[in-house]
Amino acid sequence: MIKINENYLKLQDSYLFSTIAKKVETYQKENPNKKIIKLGIGDVTLPLAKKIGEEIDKATQEMLKRETFKGYGPEQGYDFLKEKIIEMEYKKRGIEIQIDEIFISDGAKCDTANIQELFSDDNIIAITDPVYPVYLDTNIMAGRTGNYNKTTDTYENVVYMPANAENNFIPELPNKKVDMIYLCFPNNPTGTVLKKQELKKWVEYAKNNKSIILFDSAYEAFITEEDIAHSIYEIEGAKDVCIEFRSFSKTAGFTGVRCAYTIVPKQLKAYTKQGEEISINKLWNRRQCTKFNGVSYITQRAAQAIYTEEGQKQIKENINYYMENAKIILEGLKQAGYEVFGGKNAPYIWLKVPKNYTSWEFFDKLLEKANVVGTPGVGFGPSGEGYFRLTAFGSRQNTVEAMQRIKNMEK
Ligand code: MLT
């Protein structure tokens, strides 16, 4: 008899964004004349930068000629892209990354999901709460958590580190020893950031406890303020204890193109049961070579285009456009009387829902009364209850209109 991986049965019904999409679809079917504005999932809306398109065209031409055609590429990615990443993302910030410490992939979602398989099942994971659901769900699938507790909306064997208005969105260090720590800054979903001084504490904690920090910096390109780390490796000693995930999805509008990268420093170690040190870089390389055949040549050429002068200028224009949307949302919500967070160094705005609503009730109200879609905070974890997320990735027109509708909606 074929048996299933019963850990999957511990998962909640469906992935957050699929639940939302279904609800919106049902509403639209029942109300075909309503114009719904979607500020729910963090998906970009501006087209690719021109320079990226030009490089895609060029690479396509190469693929059409026998002399320049490319078959399988290196599983870890082409050097032409990795060299640019080293120079433009790290060297410029005084960080030394070696070429074999970079792994190009088809998305930070997959990498943050897959990385956990390098680590033992009995590791304790720690997640900030609220959190990007992928970190938790993939550990549930792997059997690293216990059962779901409906009353507390938490899983056994997971350390939740609340980040909310009460603690200024600065999660406290775990009060027990944990092994795998997921941090995402600028944060999805709250849009808040940690100062370098705060990140330093985490790196020290990881060093003292022989833990690993899985640092998701997919939103670093949206940072506008000083003293906010773009990379965890800006913190001294971080290369000993941190893996960093980066993505072109939001930075360069690649959500539909798919390209990202992960940095696994060679000095990063984890241990066998006997205490023997093992290189994580070697294990990840082994894993990628077995399970992944690399990102397409055309896509990697497209990503390389981001690092040209024109490419940089064009993607910055798009980022500025989204951050202007963020400003419009922050101001609009404030004028409508909401308490708001984030939105200054990230394309996400986190608001407090009116007192008499849960975040799902507020979702329904916003959909029905304003025809605006957002994401209920509780979908990201129990500490997200009472909050709601809007994204700045919509068109300018839709963003302005959404704010108008929210202002006109009775609270
Ligand atoms: C989100 O809305 O949180 C993002 O779309 C998540 C992702 O990038 O997968």
Side-chain angles (χ1 to χ4, degrees), residues 15 17 40-43 109 132 188 219 250 348 380 389:
Y15 186 60
F17 295 108
I41 190 162
D43 195 4
K109 180 176 185 173
Y132 179 44
N188 179 15
Y219 298 95
K250 316 294 157 82
Y348 294 124
F380 298 101
R389 192 191 78 175

Side-chain angles (χ1 to χ4, degrees), residues 233-341:
Y233 305 124
E234 287 176 56
I235 311 299
E236 208 189 314
K239 280 185 79 183
D240 295 332
V241 286
C242 301
I243 295 174
E244 177 160 286
F245 304 92
R246 289 279 188 98
S247 168
F248 296 112
S249 283
K250 316 294 157 82
T251 308
F254 271 45
T255 52
V257 179
R258 310 307 307 152
C259 195
Y261 56 96
T262 290
I263 309 290
V264 189
K266 284 193 279 195
Q267 68 229 59
L268 182 70
K269 301 282 175 358
Y271 305 87
T272 63
K273 285 200 171 69
Q274 282 71 36
E276 187 195 345
E277 277 188 355
I278 304 289
S279 156
I280 296 301
N281 178 287
K282 266 197 188 153
L283 294 192
W284 185 243
N285 188 46
R286 185 70 178 80
R287 189 257 174 221
Q288 292 297 80
C289 290
T290 303
K291 295 197 178 183
F292 187 57
N293 256 337
V295 175
S296 81
Y297 174 72
I298 297 174
T299 299
Q300 293 190 64
R301 281 291 182 201
Q304 185 200 10
I306 293 163
Y307 295 114
T308 59
E309 210 179 311
E310 279 166 282
Q312 285 284 292
K313 194 170 150 275
Q314 291 167 2
I315 65 161
K316 281 202 179 114
E317 276 165 15
N318 289 1
I319 289 170
N320 291 343
Y321 175 94
Y322 293 133
M323 290 313 281
E324 188 58 35
N325 282 350
K327 237 189 231 164
I328 292 168
I329 297 175
L330 274 178
E331 285 312 309
L333 290 174
K334 271 188 212 159
Q335 283 164 18
Y338 291 91
E339 204 178 339
V340 285
F341 310 93

